Amino acid sequence: RVACHSPNPVVLYVSGGNTQVIAYSDQRYRIFGETIDIAIGNCLDRFARVIGLSNDPSPGYNFEQLAKECRGDTLVDMPYVVKGMDVSFSGILTYVETEAKKLLAPDSNITKADLCYSLQETLFAMLVEITERAMAHTGQNQVLIVGGWDATSVSKK
């Protein structure tokens, strides 16, 4: 808050262990939304292992680099689970884990990059939705993104 000169931003905390939307309201900090199962970083890391991405330097970095290679003309439909102001990532992870082999078959026009991009964009859209709801509820117009996942370039958009 001090470094970015924002007195009361809505905080989107995204990491391998937690995913929460936190904001100051009614004289205290409140959790407005969170994951009801696994964190976004956990979801991305597990999928990176499914498609065989290296851990060097990190699965999240390698995932992001591969997503950038997407041609942009293929967006794979994935489960989108927002319940009120909470999100669920386990269903989308189960979907991509079980469907990856079929979607990446030699006779398919879908690439690993397409899958990474589709997963990334779907997860990001879910986070944007619940963050915007918290902003509307609190009347705030600034967001502070913190945690390990905030290092990705897509979160900076």
Side-chain angles (χ1 to χ4, degrees):
R1 290 178 6 173
V2 174
C4 61
H5 306 289
S6 182
N8 288 313
V10 170
V11 177
L12 176 58
Y13 174 42
V14 282
S15 72
N18 290 294
T19 302
Q20 298 176 319
V21 177
I22 306 162
Y24 192 76
S25 178
D26 296 329
Q27 306 295 337
R28 63 179 163 212
Y29 283 95
R30 298 173 184 266
I31 297 174
F32 279 86
E34 61 188 331
T35 181
I36 56 176
D37 43 39
I38 62 173
I40 191 169
N42 185 297
C43 179
L44 294 172
D45 289 352
R46 284 179 51 188
F47 181 67
R49 283 193 296 273
V50 166
I51 61 171
L53 294 182
S54 170
N55 284 334
D56 185 26
S58 74
Y61 175 80
N62 295 329
F63 179 96
E64 181 184 4
Q65 297 309 306
L66 188 56
K68 288 178 184 177
E69 295 175 15
C70 176
R71 297 181 308 264
D73 60 351
T74 304
L75 185 64
V76 179
D77 285 331
M78 297 194 178
Y80 186 98
V81 183
V82 174
K83 296 181 179 185
M85 293 190 48
D86 294 328
V87 292
S88 173
F89 299 130
S90 64
I92 194 171
L93 176 62
T94 300
Y95 173 80
V96 294
E97 284 177 337
T98 57
E99 295 295 315
K101 190 176 281 187
K102 184 180 0 170
L103 292 169
L104 296 172
D107 61 338
S108 172
N109 65 343
I110 296 172
T111 66
K112 286 182 181 182
D114 294 333
L115 275 182
C116 288
Y117 178 79
S118 298
L119 179 59
Q120 174 182 274
E121 291 302 305
T122 303
L123 297 177
F124 188 63
M126 293 165 62
L127 292 176
V128 168
E129 180 179 335
I130 65 170
T131 303
E132 286 177 342
R133 286 182 184 174
M135 291 172 71
H137 184 80
T138 60
Q140 297 299 322
N141 63 0
Q142 296 178 320
V143 176
L144 180 62
I145 304 174
V146 300
W149 193 71
D150 79 315
T152 65
S153 63
V154 73
S155 70
K156 292 172 175 58
K157 292 179 189 174

